[in-house]
Amino acid sequence: AHNPDGAAAARRTMDEDFAHGGRRIVVLGMMREREPVAMLESVGAAGADLLIACSPPWVRAMPADELGRAADSLGIEVEVIADVGDALARALALADDDDAIFVLGSLYVAGAARDAYADLV
């Protein structure tokens, strides 16, 4: 989900294939050349119970606090945790068995989350 079309596809997948009774926690980070409000709207972040904004581990990363401000401007409940691994750890700590955690955005976020997950579980 590294562009608006991918974000919209991720939203459809979350809505159609991962409907559940629990909360939806989204961990999201993107590159600075992306428009954060458009991406947040495309991915349906307003439908999340919590968005955890992080920064991809790459030189072109959008700072997590910039993404957090964009989410806040849309009325989205947001926590800002710059490090992807720390953001994922926070999501896992908050989630219970009925909740779903979605890691979205840059491929650099996905890779860092995958690596961090192996250390967290």
Side-chain angles (χ1 to χ4, degrees), residues 80-92:
V80 175
I81 302 175
D83 181 79
V84 175
D86 292 343
L88 180 60
R90 174 70 172 149
L92 289 166

Side-chain angles (χ1 to χ4, degrees), residues 5-71:
D5 289 339
R11 178 185 192 169
R12 285 190 303 276
T13 299
M14 287 187 297
D15 291 343
E16 295 170 7
D17 296 341
F18 294 96
H20 63 287
R23 295 175 300 160
R24 181 180 291 182
I25 300 169
V26 173
V27 176
L28 178 67
M30 62 186 69
M31 296 300 171
R32 69 174 160 253
E33 62 268 7
R34 301 292 179 208
E35 167 42 51
V37 169
M39 288 291 287
L40 290 163
E41 290 174 341
S42 293
V43 79
D49 295 287
L50 176 65
L51 172 78
I52 302 176
C54 61
S55 294
W58 191 248
V59 296
R60 293 184 1 249
M62 178 180 294
D65 60 340
E66 183 178 336
L67 179 56
R69 284 191 302 275

